Amino acid sequence: MSTTHDGSIASVSDRQRRRYPVGAEILANSVSFRVWAPAQSCVSLLLDDGREWRMNPEDAGYFRLDLEDIRSGALYRFRLGTSPEPAADPASRFQPDGPSGFSMVVDPARFQWHDKDWTGITSSGQVLYEMHIGTFTPEGTYAAAIEKLEFLKEIGITCLEIMPVNEFCGTFGWGYDGVLPYAPTRLYGEPDDLRSFVDTAHQLGIGVILDVVYNHFGVGDRFADFTPDYFTETYWNEWGSSINFDGNNSAGVRTFFAKNAAYWIDEYHLDGLRLDATQALNDSSNEHIMATIAREARAAAGAKSIYLVAENEPQDTRLVRDLKQSGYDLDALWNDDFHHSAMVALTGRNEAYYHDHLGHAQEFVSSAKYGYLFQGQRYDWQDAPRGRPGLDLVPTNFVHFLQNHDQVANSGTGVRMGMLGSPAKVRALTALLLLGPQTPMLFQGQEFGASSPFYYFADNSCELTEIVRKGRIDFLKQFPSLNDEAFALWMPVPAERSTFERSKLDWSQRDANAHITALHRDLLALRRQIESIEAGGRTPRPSLDGSVLDRSALMLRFFANEPHEERLLLVNLGKDLPVTSLANPLLAPPVDSQWSVIWSSEDLAYGGGGKRPIDFQKRWSLGADTALLLAPTEAERCTIPDRERLFAWQADISNLCSR
């Protein structure tokens, strides 16, 4: 690709050839238009002033036309054969009037980047923050979101994970029903506004990755008009027609999507991608499309390091294995298992897809040590095995979360976790998330205890409104509690704008809930500052071990080369737990030391009930719904009582009247 040594796009005068196989690109003396349309015998370029040119056919179904005297900002569409209805460019870089309008020529070289020293991000040390630009602020724009970045930096966020921004039909939506994958939607700003958002984040030391959808197109797409070969009936897809990655004439399809991944990394300086619902990316090719996407994205990054994350419902660990292990070379996987266990622990309810999770301490210990809980054993909800082995993977191969867009919306009522359980238990689970070895992710507003709901919303046309609403209700009926007939009447209609507006964050709660912000800020500071915790996600497995104290209580031991740097995390998600002694060496302090509490979720500063003083050399109690972080301090060991007092103590333990 014609990029400069620092990764920036070459100036217009230096651009002599195309950089991407499709779309409109500005060359030195012209604009080059290229489209893949093997189903058409002829394709014409139509400008908004009415001028029209026949494009030149090329091999493999491509058409190209280079025109002089065309500038950035020019509007165009394609006429397919003799069809009276022109179509937007499938690889349009911007649609100022929506997906059915004219495409715009965009010059990415016009933007002045300030991140030439930015080297990208790796999988180590990240704290992710999932956000939806349209609901993140009242304005719902990139420009408004920029104003919040310093706050996110200050509390400890290192990487933003933006929900899809590609162009879609309507005036609001989640973005997963995208129609034009190369065009950032006009709803949040212009292309350079997105670039400014990324550039500002980089100047603050924050990475940005983008959620991309390569498993289907949203309603309103025109891809079949260019060629039906974009689609296949070989595989079933719950969201629409499956994309053809391995069937007849699939080469152009593979190129279209793989280069799209490269495009976001290249022209928008993004630090990686989150691949949505990868179980629907079906491919029997020698190189799976996900491996191709990873290869193209990393090549586009050049010397910069990028971070590739996937959502995969079947929990296939091949995605994060390297090519030598027949893997797809991604970096991390979302781990629903951790979330499901946490929600059951919080609410006590394990209905629907929570069925196989009990919320017990063992699940959290196993998750901290091994990531996925289901790695090939039977999964009762699906009446079949689930997952693939991954006991050898490292913690950074997994992203853990207590909330995300899907799970909040799937509550039916769109409520946040703070509305589902006690504040004390939420604090304890937050500590488990943010001090655990896997990569933690927060969902927008979680850091200040946002109470605004997050519903499913989609601005569908009239004929789809009821279909989408009924589909949503039918999906949620897997939860017995949502089979109540009243729910169907109560559920906000996805197509109503009020559903979207009610999902916007109320930033006044940031000040009102300063204690919740302090909780997240302090925990993330501990995560950064304590080497044994910060390094836990990237070092060999012996750096972390854990054990069960009780059905609802656990401990995680963070080892270090220097004993004084070791830490012990205690989490109790049940009632008060008295401890007389524990036959478990993980509770033993380093030599010449004793444990002391350096952080408590019950600190008054976080809205807790107060920190209990604890002497771990005596009988002690782990408070209900509490998390404690312990550090070793120099201390002498208590000596065994003299003979007389010891006999009296033992007699009391044995319930003997005399000895």
Side-chain angles (χ1 to χ4, degrees), residues 101-179:
F102 280 92
S103 303
M104 178 182 283
V105 176
V106 173
D107 184 2
R110 292 178 58 181
F111 184 81
Q112 297 298 310
W113 290 94
H114 303 88
D115 65 349
K116 65 182 180 64
D117 296 325
W118 180 256
T119 59
I121 62 173
T122 66
S123 58
S124 297
Q126 301 307 323
V127 178
L128 303 181
Y129 186 90
E130 188 187 23
M131 60 190 300
H132 176 269
I133 296 295
T135 56
F136 182 62
T137 63
E139 299 87 350
T141 63
Y142 300 118
I146 286 174
E147 300 301 315
K148 308 296 184 185
L149 294 184
E150 287 194 11
F151 165 70
L152 297 182
K153 170 68 175 179
E154 190 263 335
I155 65 169
I157 300 302
T158 68
C159 181
L160 309 173
E161 183 175 306
I162 309 175
M163 288 171 64
V165 300
N166 51 190
E167 188 61 82
F168 57 90
C169 293
T171 59
F172 57 85
W174 276 14
Y176 293 93
D177 50 355
V179 174

Side-chain angles (χ1 to χ4, degrees), residues 318-332:
R318 289 178 298 181
L319 274 68
V320 293
R321 298 194 182 281
D322 61 31
L323 300 178
K324 294 179 181 179
Q325 297 176 295
S326 299
Y328 304 153
D329 202 28
L330 305 182
D331 296 303

Side-chain angles (χ1 to χ4, degrees), residues 523-537:
L523 283 169
L524 290 176
L526 288 170
R527 184 180 185 89
R528 289 192 308 273
Q529 296 163 4
I530 299 175
E531 173 65 20
S532 58
I533 292 178
E534 191 277 332

Side-chain angles (χ1 to χ4, degrees), residues 399-468:
V399 174
H400 282 189
F401 45 86
L402 296 173
Q403 300 185 73
N404 66 36
H405 69 276
D406 272 328
Q407 300 302 341
V408 174
N410 285 354
S411 69
T413 55
V415 297
R416 304 295 193 108
M417 62 180 295
M419 309 290 287
L420 297 174
S422 72
K425 190 166 289 187
V426 170
R427 289 193 300 270
L429 285 167
T430 299
L432 183 59
L433 170 71
L434 298 184
L435 297 180
Q438 283 74 24
T439 298
M441 183 178 77
L442 302 177
F443 180 58
Q444 61 178 35
Q446 183 177 344
E447 73 282 7
F448 59 78
S451 62
S452 53
F454 192 78
Y455 299 118
Y456 175 71
F457 47 83
D459 185 13
N460 302 119
S461 58
C462 293
E463 61 269 21
L464 287 175
T465 298
E466 186 56 28
I467 294 175
V468 171

Side-chain angles (χ1 to χ4, degrees), residues 93-286:
R93 275 25 176 201
F94 189 55
Q95 295 290 122
D97 297 315
S100 61
F102 280 92
S103 303
M104 178 182 283
V105 176
V106 173
D107 184 2
R110 292 178 58 181
F111 184 81
Q112 297 298 310
W113 290 94
H114 303 88
D115 65 349
K116 65 182 180 64
D117 296 325
W118 180 256
T119 59
I121 62 173
T122 66
S123 58
S124 297
Q126 301 307 323
V127 178
L128 303 181
Y129 186 90
E130 188 187 23
M131 60 190 300
H132 176 269
I133 296 295
T135 56
F136 182 62
T137 63
E139 299 87 350
T141 63
Y142 300 118
I146 286 174
E147 300 301 315
K148 308 296 184 185
L149 294 184
E150 287 194 11
F151 165 70
L152 297 182
K153 170 68 175 179
E154 190 263 335
I155 65 169
I157 300 302
T158 68
C159 181
L160 309 173
E161 183 175 306
I162 309 175
M163 288 171 64
V165 300
N166 51 190
E167 188 61 82
F168 57 90
C169 293
T171 59
F172 57 85
W174 276 14
Y176 293 93
D177 50 355
V179 174
L180 297 169
Y182 284 77
T185 178
R186 81 279 181 204
L187 299 173
Y188 308 146
E190 296 187 353
D192 280 357
D193 293 324
L194 174 55
R195 291 186 175 94
S196 182
F197 177 85
V198 176
D199 195 40
T200 304
H202 287 173
Q203 292 176 70
L204 290 170
I206 301 175
V208 186
I209 67 174
L210 178 65
D211 201 335
V212 291
V213 183
Y214 294 153
N215 52 65
H216 77 291
F217 295 115
V219 174
D221 80 274
R222 296 281 302 276
F223 281 82
D225 294 342
F226 291 84
T227 175
D229 292 329
Y230 273 107
F231 306 101
T232 178
E233 295 182 0
T234 302
Y235 307 106
W236 176 81
N237 188 320
E238 63 182 294
W239 300 287
S241 298
S242 292
I243 305 299
N244 173 28
F245 291 119
D246 59 3
N248 182 55
N249 203 24
S250 61
V253 184
R254 296 174 67 88
T255 298
F256 180 88
F257 284 99
K259 291 299 184 182
N260 178 259
Y263 157 80
W264 290 116
I265 304 299
D266 172 25
E267 294 196 1
Y268 287 89
H269 289 204
L270 287 160
D271 299 290
L273 304 169
R274 182 263 192 189
L275 307 182
D276 177 65
T278 54
Q279 67 273 11
L281 297 179
N282 297 292
D283 187 8
S284 61
S285 305
N286 290 334

